[in-house]
């Protein structure tokens, strides 16, 4: 997946170059959208490789749940 993510980064850099050179909003938006799709595909590929290797992908919401629990347990200021 690192190579795929590198491709997505290059695609985004290309969109940036097109914007700087032409200020063509439609073309730049299209290129940026395609770069985002490439990045999403790279992330999916990385997750499936983790699963295939027997590793569990991280829970993307786990950090938020932990911080929410910690905030709920923290004493209120001034008490």
């Amino acid at each position: 997946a690192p190579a795929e993510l590198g491709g997505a980064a290059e695609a985004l850099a290309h969109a940036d170059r097109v914007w700087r050179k032409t200020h063509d909003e439609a073309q730049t938006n299209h290129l940026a959208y395609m770069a985002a799709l490439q990045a999403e595909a790279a992330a999916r590929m990385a997750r499936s490789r983790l699963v295939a290797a027997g590793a569990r992908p991280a829970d993307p919401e786990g950090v938020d749940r932990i911080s929410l629990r910690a905030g709920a347990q923290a004493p209120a200021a001034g008490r």
Side-chain angles (χ1 to χ4, degrees):
E4 291 80 4
L5 190 55
E10 178 52 40
L12 188 57
H14 175 65
D16 185 54
R17 287 190 301 273
V18 167
W19 175 251
R20 289 176 193 218
K21 183 176 180 180
T22 67
H23 292 284
D24 183 336
E25 188 173 347
Q27 180 68 13
T28 301
N29 284 339
H30 171 72
L31 293 171
Y33 175 73
M34 297 304 292
L37 290 178
Q38 284 183 308
E40 187 178 321
R44 281 193 196 130
M45 185 176 293
R47 280 191 296 274
S48 56
R49 286 180 182 169
L50 281 173
V51 170
R56 259 188 49 197
D59 178 5
E61 295 177 302
V63 173
D64 291 337
R65 280 189 295 229
I66 291 169
S67 60
L68 285 174
R69 284 186 198 138
Q73 294 172 359
R79 285 190 189 175

